[in-house]
Amino acid sequence: MSPAILLLLALGLGLAGWLAARARAWSFRRAMPDRRIASLPSYYGWYVALWVVIPAILFILAWGFIAPVLVTQSVLADPAAAHLPVFGLQRETILAEARAVASGAANGVFNPLARELVEPYRAALMRMNAIGIAATLVVAFLGGAWSFTRLRPDFRARTRVERIVMLILLLASLVAILTTLGIFLSLVFETIRFFGMIDPISFLFGTHWGPDPMSSVEAADPSRFGAIPLFWGTIYIGAIIAMVVAIPLGLMSAIYLTQYASPAWRKWLKPALEILAGVPTVVYGYFAALTIAPAIRDMAVSIGISNASSESALAAGLVMGVMIIPFVSSMADDSIAAVPQAMRDGSLAMGATTNETIRRVLVPAALPGIVAGVMLAISRAIGETMIVVMAAGYAAKLSGNPLEAMTTVTVQIVAMLTGEASFDHPATLSAFALGFVLFLVTLGLNIVALRVVKRFREAYE
Amino acid sequence: MSEAVLPTRTPAFEARIRKRYAAERRFKLAGLLSILFSIAVLAFLLVTMASNGISGFKRVELAVEIDFPEAGITGDPAVLAQPNAIQSLEAQGLPAVIEFYATKSLGEAGAQQINSEAWRDVAKMIIADPSILGSKSELMVPASHKLAAAYSGDGQVDLQPLANQLKAEGKLQKNFDFGFLSRSDATDPQLVGIWGALKGSMLTMLITLAFAFPIGVLAALYLEEYAPKNRWTDIIEVSINNLAAVPSIIFGLLGLAVFLTLFPSYRSAPLIGGLTLALMTMPVIVIAGRNAIKAVPPTIRDGALALGASPIQVVFHHVLPLALPGILTGTIIGMARALGETAPALMIGMRAFVATPPDGFTSPATLLPVQIFLWSDEIDRGFVERTSAAIIVLLMFLLVMNGLAIYLRNRFEKKW
């Protein structure tokens, strides 16, 4: 069953309710030409329409969760389901297969048991479809009828509608809190499960990373879950190599754009720089893996380093740094522009050259903003996934040699969750623990940076 | 009686000033160079992708002369118009016919190098233009990927002479492959296409837009116009600002932990992908929306209020229409970011091999960036070019979206 059909049904009924209620309001107006009715006729329409659509949508959402359960129950009650294996993955597979065929998603079945279940499934789906449509109609109709009977010439439809609209606006802005909460809870929940199997100390301070997704769940070896090499790789690539590229280049770009470039140049250079930020990270990753990493290896070999790897921290870090340049540059741009012109003029009037003014006056004055921008840039670099997945490699190493392959937190999250291990395995759950660490670190960097930016902005206003 | 005035411009002074001016020039040059470096990297990236990608839109094809009347393949227009026309041509023995004529025109060795799925392309040509059945005609069919590799100068060494010979005879050519835009993923670089991934991306973007845009705009309206200054509002604002900076892979973990637990049967479906990306895009739209709403001057609100409009009417009749171009610009930029996102999609299982384009919001799909990622893992040289071609398509889409955003900004930009 497609919820889209139910949704269209609800919207259609809402339209009918809108038209009916508006007509009703006009009839009030005609009946009493000398008195004004409390609201414009269209508000009567909106009032009834909202009362039709909102209960119906709530019902459809609830139905979306209940219906599959009911379908499965009624299929299991069917005699054909008696032969099913009692429990486990096989049973689920057979049911899923039968469901796919019955709903038209697949053409044939593989398992003979599933074939017998197709018909009961089809019947149950049909039944649930019919019940769903009927119930949606009933809910929508009840809502519409109740609200319709309340319509009177002195009924303040507009206030009611506006109250509902306010509620919807409030709910929309609560989605952000819900998302944050959802992220936090889902990460915490799985992390706690992980720490039930692996001791947090050996995770946070261990120096050997090599989870074996194929080992049995109970026999997980805590000494293989030491995340220090991942944290080091993340910091080395994202906060050191990438920033060595991004901070000077980004800062100098911002200075040139704000202080030296003529407006005509600026008009061309700034968007060109911004294109860099718009290129998808998978493209950068491909570029790093295909072009930059082999070039770096060849260069290393030519200067006599024979064991240079084709995946290297340097390749990933350099490309990531280039990706971050426009980000640093626009943050620096903003905070330099926020320095009062009088400070700049004062310095120039004392006879300082432009670059002396910039280095001794503008940059120190804008420093809090620049530092905040750099913190945001680091937070973005350590959360970046595709470039490191494609160019940095999977080998967890505690090494200072930028030519070696290194791995980061995000790479391991991808590796752990796209592997073959089951969902209860510590190797899979470790991805959530890593995600949680990443979330907390980036959150901390962001909060501090946003605070600094805010305080700094207010300083000159 | 005047005292001797020390000359100001002593040689030491001149030297200092020259040094300072030289420092000034160096500093300015460093600034210019750092911008030019970024732009040079960008240009290098684009040129690399373009030079690889152009040949990714082409494929190696063999010329085969087929005499359809002699082979006895007939095409009833009524049959060919049906959806199962390809099966009916297969039943008439089209694959065997092509094999026969391939041997005839290319010799035994050449015939083995016809792609095993070549007959499908011929069938599609027949369906597109049944008149070729009436006569003898030379058709270009895809070569096997081994021969294609030999054509480009790598791959198996023993195929090189054959490739060179066929090339010299003009029977082996590299032609523009229109099918690249209409086929889906495959294991053979000669047969892959990006339509499946493109369609998956479009369906996902539709879901993202359907959820992120209304929620984002309504939240922006609430925060900017109605929200009281209290702790709750502060919490909402902080969480929106933070969400905008949370790494995208974390959203993937959220999608995995929440959406896939709620809807386990919709793994790798555009619906789940779209919802995950919508949560990621929503804060971007809220922030852009708030700026656009803030830019509407208070006099508009005061005027409407003075004429008796209610606060809701002020916002929905006056403020929102005026802020809409700005909101749309922000939305398009947010959508462009979502279109290029790969990591969240990997988390929710959209990295599966999907050989048929998705036919709905709940069928398994892959996304354009994910397809690029999957192809980038293939070691076959043919996939390198195909990957670059897919990147070109992705960048084109982003270019169009950003162009639209810039157009909207310029078209509707108002000075109050």
Side-chain angles (χ1 to χ4, degrees):
Chain A
M1 175 189 61
S2 137
I5 293 174
L6 288 184
L7 218 55
L8 283 179
L9 195 71
L11 292 179
L13 286 173
L15 182 65
W18 190 83
L19 290 171
R22 201 184 57 154
R24 179 100 176 113
W26 278 110
S27 78
F28 290 148
R29 192 172 262 196
R30 272 194 298 276
M32 299 177 293
D34 49 333
R35 241 185 83 194
R36 286 162 58 93
I37 59 170
S39 299
L40 290 175
S42 67
Y43 279 103
Y44 284 75
W46 282 116
Y47 179 70
V48 173
L50 287 173
W51 264 102
V52 171
V53 173
I54 292 176
I57 286 182
L58 290 180
F59 172 76
I60 292 168
L61 282 180
W63 188 245
F65 290 106
I66 301 168
V69 180
L70 292 179
V71 167
T72 313
Q73 271 179 3
S74 80
V75 170
L76 290 182
D78 194 272
H83 308 296
L84 276 177
V86 185
F87 200 71
L89 199 63
Q90 206 184 353
R91 181 189 171 105
E92 295 296 320
T93 320
I94 294 173
L95 285 176
E97 208 175 321
R99 183 168 51 230
V101 177
S103 59
N107 289 323
V109 286
F110 182 67
N111 198 306
L113 272 174
R115 190 168 303 131
E116 285 176 31
L117 286 175
V118 168
E119 274 315 308
Y121 244 117
R122 196 165 284 158
L125 280 174
M126 293 270 283
R127 201 161 56 236
M128 286 301 151
N129 269 355
I131 294 175
I133 290 173
T136 308
L137 284 173
V138 168
V139 169
F141 186 76
L142 283 180
W146 183 78
S147 58
F148 196 81
T149 56
R150 296 187 67 194
L151 301 183
R152 301 269 183 283
D154 56 351
F155 178 72
R156 298 188 178 278
R158 200 199 73 209
T159 0
R160 308 269 170 166
V161 170
E162 292 189 345
R163 210 172 292 161
I164 299 177
V165 170
M166 275 307 262
L167 197 68
I168 294 175
L169 290 182
L170 181 63
L171 286 179
S173 55
L174 287 183
V175 171
I177 292 191
L178 282 180
T179 310
T180 311
L181 209 64
I183 290 177
F184 193 76
L185 287 183
S186 56
L187 292 179
V188 165
F189 195 65
E190 307 288 340
T191 305
I192 289 174
R193 275 176 69 194
F194 174 69
F195 284 150
M197 302 177 205
I198 306 291
D199 167 34
I201 305 290
S202 60
F203 171 72
L204 288 174
F205 301 106
T207 54
H208 172 63
W209 179 263
D212 178 11
M214 291 299 124
S215 71
S216 77
V217 173
E218 290 75 25
D221 178 7
S223 69
R224 300 175 74 109
F225 284 90
I228 289 286
L230 311 187
F231 298 150
W232 166 245
T234 308
I235 291 169
Y236 195 52
I237 295 177
I240 299 178
I241 301 180
M243 288 306 133
V244 164
V245 177
I247 294 172
L249 289 177
L251 200 55
M252 286 309 290
S253 302
I255 288 171
Y256 186 82
L257 284 176
T258 51
Q259 306 299 323
Y260 289 111
S262 66
W265 258 107
R266 189 179 152 86
K267 205 177 137 198
W268 283 103
L269 289 178
K270 203 170 156 65
L273 207 56
E274 276 166 2
I275 295 177
L276 274 179
V279 174
T281 55
V282 68
V283 176
Y284 278 118
Y286 186 63
F287 179 63
L290 187 81
T291 315
I292 302 297
I296 286 176
R297 190 200 45 213
D298 293 346
M299 235 186 282
V301 169
S302 72
I303 58 168
I305 304 166
S306 55
N307 62 346
S309 152
S310 65
E311 286 176 325
S312 63
L314 189 59
L318 284 180
V319 173
M320 199 193 283
V322 171
M323 185 191 87
I324 303 281
I325 288 174
F327 191 75
V328 174
S329 148
S330 76
M331 294 293 293
D333 198 330
D334 286 351
S335 46
I336 290 174
V339 177
Q341 184 68 20
M343 289 173 76
R344 185 169 178 260
D345 293 347
S347 167
L348 289 173
M350 298 294 285
T353 61
T354 314
N355 95 74
E356 284 158 356
T357 305
I358 292 165
R359 282 187 298 154
R360 307 258 173 88
V361 178
L362 292 187
V363 171
L367 202 60
I370 294 173
V371 170
V374 167
M375 284 169 83
L376 287 178
I378 293 177
S379 135
R380 176 171 288 203
I382 64 178
E384 169 45 42
T385 311
M386 296 321 291
I387 296 178
V388 281
V389 166
M390 292 164 88
Y394 289 88
K397 257 180 250 162
L398 258 175
S399 156
N401 179 1
L403 295 173
E404 273 192 69
M406 255 178 231
T407 194
T408 68
V409 169
T410 48
V411 172
Q412 289 304 316
I413 294 176
V414 172
M416 293 299 136
L417 287 177
T418 52
E420 303 292 318
S422 78
F423 215 73
D424 299 319
H425 196 280
T428 314
L429 291 176
S430 73
F432 287 91
L434 290 173
F436 192 48
V437 174
L438 181 66
F439 178 70
L440 289 184
V441 170
T442 52
L443 193 70
L445 283 170
N446 294 337
I447 289 180
V448 173
L450 290 174
R451 280 260 166 87
V452 171
V453 167
K454 212 172 178 183
R455 184 168 299 171
F456 176 66
R457 287 273 157 72
E458 283 161 359
Y460 292 111
E461 274 167 9
Chain B
M1 294 299 270
S2 61
E3 287 176 41
V5 179
L6 280 169
T8 356
R9 302 185 82 89
T10 57
F13 177 92
E14 294 283 352
R16 271 203 307 278
I17 228 165
R18 263 201 304 280
K19 218 172 126 191
R20 286 173 66 200
Y21 282 168
E24 172 73 21
R25 278 194 300 276
R26 280 200 304 275
F27 192 73
K28 190 175 172 183
L29 189 68
L32 183 62
L33 285 181
S34 57
I35 291 192
L36 292 183
F37 171 79
S38 312
I39 293 173
V41 173
L42 180 67
F44 180 53
L45 185 150
L46 293 180
V47 168
T48 316
M49 294 305 153
S51 59
N52 270 327
I54 297 293
S55 58
F57 285 109
K58 296 177 179 174
R59 68 172 171 187
V60 178
E61 294 180 328
L62 281 162
V64 176
E65 195 168 286
I66 302 177
D67 191 347
F68 287 108
E70 187 190 275
I73 301 261
T74 56
D76 182 1
V79 175
L80 290 183
Q82 280 172 7
N84 61 352
I86 291 185
Q87 281 88 329
S88 87
L89 285 168
E90 188 184 10
Q92 286 190 51
L94 186 64
V97 166
I98 288 169
E99 217 167 281
F100 174 76
Y101 284 102
T103 315
K104 201 167 160 186
S105 54
L106 299 169
E108 193 61 51
Q112 284 171 3
Q113 296 305 328
I114 297 272
N115 199 294
S116 56
E117 297 290 315
W119 66 270
R120 282 185 194 276
D121 284 54
V122 177
K124 279 179 197 155
M125 286 179 220
I126 294 173
I127 291 164
D129 177 20
S131 66
I132 57 173
L133 285 177
S135 61
K136 201 172 180 179
S137 47
E138 195 178 67
L139 299 177
M140 300 303 294
V141 302
S144 74
H145 75 277
K146 285 179 189 160
L147 189 66
Y151 177 92
S152 325
D154 42 31
Q156 289 171 350
V157 184
D158 49 335
L159 274 177
Q160 294 286 359
L162 179 68
N164 290 337
Q165 180 209 334
L166 288 171
K167 218 192 295 192
E169 288 172 19
K171 284 181 176 163
L172 188 64
Q173 296 168 2
K174 196 154 195 184
N175 291 332
F176 193 81
D177 177 20
F178 289 98
F180 182 66
L181 295 173
S182 64
R183 287 185 308 254
S184 288
D185 201 3
T187 48
D188 181 344
Q190 285 280 81
L191 297 174
V192 296
I194 53 159
W195 173 238
L198 202 55
K199 194 174 175 194
S201 271
M202 286 177 188
L203 292 174
T204 308
M205 286 298 112
L206 274 181
I207 295 279
T208 305
L209 189 65
F211 282 88
F213 182 67
I215 294 178
V217 172
L218 293 179
L221 282 180
Y222 179 78
L223 289 175
E224 204 53 45
E225 295 286 330
Y226 304 114
K229 272 273 160 225
N230 60 21
R231 232 163 93 218
W232 276 104
T233 315
D234 280 350
I235 295 177
I236 296 176
E237 281 192 21
V238 169
S239 58
I240 286 178
N241 284 334
N242 278 321
L243 280 182
V246 163
S248 61
I249 193 167
I250 302 283
F251 284 94
L253 289 176
L254 173 74
L256 178 65
V258 175
F259 295 137
L260 281 187
T261 316
L262 291 178
F263 313 100
S265 52
Y266 292 160
R267 202 177 168 77
S268 75
L271 180 67
I272 301 293
L275 282 176
T276 309
L277 290 176
L279 291 182
M280 215 186 82
T281 314
M282 191 263 300
V284 180
I285 297 180
V286 174
I287 291 170
R290 290 187 68 173
N291 287 333
I293 293 165
K294 214 182 277 172
V296 177
T299 45
I300 304 265
R301 297 178 182 84
D302 295 344
L305 283 172
L307 288 175
S310 73
I312 297 270
Q313 285 171 330
V314 170
V315 165
F316 280 88
H317 296 178
H318 302 279
V319 177
L320 188 57
L322 290 171
L324 206 56
I327 298 177
L328 284 181
T329 313
T331 305
I332 295 170
I333 290 169
M335 294 295 289
R337 211 180 102 181
L339 178 65
E341 243 351 301
T342 321
L346 292 184
M347 292 292 97
I348 55 167
M350 295 185 97
R351 54 174 279 139
F353 176 78
V354 182
T356 48
D359 52 5
F361 292 114
T362 53
S363 45
T366 188
L367 305 180
L368 203 44
V370 179
Q371 186 76 79
I372 290 168
F373 175 62
L374 292 177
W375 284 351
S376 75
D377 263 358
E378 301 277 349
I379 42 169
D380 196 316
R381 173 76 200 158
F383 270 107
V384 173
E385 293 169 350
R386 293 302 202 179
T387 312
S388 301
I391 285 176
I392 291 180
V393 173
L394 179 62
L395 290 179
M396 287 289 178
F397 258 82
L398 292 177
L399 204 67
V400 168
M401 286 172 87
N402 284 314
L404 191 66
I406 291 170
Y407 170 78
L408 274 176
R409 194 184 305 168
N410 292 343
R411 175 86 173 68
F412 292 101
E413 199 171 51
K414 253 187 207 150
K415 289 267 182 280
W416 300 97

